[in-house]
Amino acid sequence: KNEVEQSPQNLTAQEGEFITINCSYSVGISALHWLQQHPGGGIVSLFMLSSGKKKHGRLIATINIQEKHSSLHITASHPRDSAVYICASHMNRDDKIIFGKGTRLHILP
Amino acid sequence: DAGVIQSPRHEVTEMGQEVTLRCKPISGHDYLFWYRQTMMRGLELLIYFNNNVPIDDSGMPEDRFSAKMPNASFSTLKIQPSEPRDSAVYFCASSLNTGELFFGEGSRLTVL
């Protein structure tokens, strides 16, 4: 059974700080998603990656397939980055997606 | 494209009533997913379709829940009879192949 674990569960930081959110999964996957959910509920896909690293603006996502681990980094964090960040793994053997519980990020001005 | 469209955005109903949630995926997408989100359990996959065919419904909590996808542009999730523990936000998402997920804005269901 695939389990997806995220850490930390909650993170409060000052504006400008470098943020790292971690995600570990237990079985082989075909891809990993990072999602963002703002208060008010809409969910937006940030990245989908199966190897290496992707960058979009101040956001960077990395994945290490051997270690079954992914990280989401935010550089020069801003209060508008405050949201819940959810990691989700796309399993190899079927098309199921398993979600982590999310990391609640709060950036203070 | 307008994105994934869900309706209603909010529904308040009484226990025992039938609830129908609707989803229009992005045109051309071949996968459609129904998820439920609660504070206690986070996001959970209920069922997903590929080319309108249900592939895995193992996440559907019980027989009171059913989902259909009569064509490529429409899906429904029905709860009959509804119970207070069904209160949650229900999200629909679509994707092309097993690529990036596009979520609807969700349907917030409250069962009294």
Side-chain angles (χ1 to χ4, degrees), chain A residues 46-47 54-61 73-76:
Chain A
L46 297 175
F47 295 103
K54 284 190 177 180
K55 184 175 190 293
H56 182 68
R58 295 180 294 106
L59 300 177
I60 303 166
H73 306 284
I74 305 174
T75 61

Side-chain angles (χ1 to χ4, degrees), chain B residues 2-4 20 25 27 32-33 38 41 51 53 56 59-60 68 75:
Chain B
V4 176
T20 299
S27 177
L32 184 139
F33 303 84
T38 60
R41 300 169 69 95
N51 293 319
V53 176
D56 189 330
M60 297 283 262
K68 293 183 179 178
S75 177

Side-chain angles (χ1 to χ4, degrees), chain A residues 12-23:
Chain A
T12 299
Q14 290 293 138
E15 181 174 357
E17 285 190 41
F18 181 80
I19 303 299
T20 296
I21 300 171
N22 295 300
C23 175

Side-chain angles (χ1 to χ4, degrees), chain B residues 83-98:
Chain B
E83 296 183 4
R85 61 194 165 119
D86 302 331
S87 298
V89 181
Y90 291 81
F91 286 99
C92 174
S94 70
S95 70
L96 180 61
N97 299 322
T98 50

Side-chain angles (χ1 to χ4, degrees), chain B residues 43-72:
Chain B
L43 267 168
E44 301 174 281
L45 176 65
L46 299 176
I47 184 171
Y48 72 95
F49 297 82
N50 178 220
N51 293 319
N52 314 338
V53 176
I55 303 300
D56 189 330
D57 65 355
S58 59
M60 297 283 262
E62 43 194 279
D63 291 347
R64 298 183 297 106
F65 285 69
S66 63
K68 293 183 179 178
M69 192 164 185
N71 57 62

Side-chain angles (χ1 to χ4, degrees), chain A residues 33 35 37 41 43 45 48 86 90 94-97 99 101, chain B residues 31 33 35 37 41 43 48 56 58 91 98-101 103:
Chain A
H33 300 260
L35 310 170
Q37 186 173 28
I43 300 175
S45 175
M48 177 180 154
I86 302 167
H90 214 137
D94 56 31
D95 299 324
K96 261 186 166 172
I97 299 178
F99 293 90
K101 296 288 186 201
Chain B
Y31 279 84
F33 303 84
Y35 299 101
Q37 187 177 40
R41 300 169 69 95
L43 267 168
Y48 72 95
D56 189 330
S58 59
F91 286 99
T98 50
E100 184 181 355
L101 290 168
F103 285 80

Side-chain angles (χ1 to χ4, degrees), chain B residues 6-17:
Chain B
Q6 289 188 246
S7 64
R9 291 291 310 279
H10 301 272
E11 171 114 4
V12 180
T13 191
E14 292 188 343
M15 185 172 68
Q17 296 298 305

Side-chain angles (χ1 to χ4, degrees), chain A residues 8-106:
Chain A
Q9 281 189 301
N10 295 284
L11 178 58
T12 299
Q14 290 293 138
E15 181 174 357
E17 285 190 41
F18 181 80
I19 303 299
T20 296
I21 300 171
N22 295 300
C23 175
S24 298
Y25 51 92
S26 54
V27 303
I29 63 169
S30 59
L32 188 123
H33 300 260
W34 280 103
L35 310 170
Q36 179 192 56
Q37 186 173 28
H38 276 285
I43 300 175
V44 174
S45 175
L46 297 175
F47 295 103
M48 177 180 154
L49 65 166
S50 53
S51 66
K53 175 176 160 179
K54 284 190 177 180
K55 184 175 190 293
H56 182 68
R58 295 180 294 106
L59 300 177
I60 303 166
T62 63
I63 188 168
N64 184 316
I65 298 294
Q66 286 72 33
E67 294 187 3
K68 297 186 173 61
H69 180 267
S70 176
S71 292
L72 177 69
H73 306 284
I74 305 174
T75 61
S77 59
H78 191 276
R80 64 175 174 266
D81 298 326
S82 299
V84 176
Y85 292 84
I86 302 167
C87 156
S89 67
H90 214 137
M91 297 175 72
N92 259 338
R93 66 169 191 276
D94 56 31
D95 299 324
K96 261 186 166 172
I97 299 178
I98 308 294
F99 293 90
K101 296 288 186 201
T103 295
R104 187 173 298 276
L105 175 66
H106 187 201

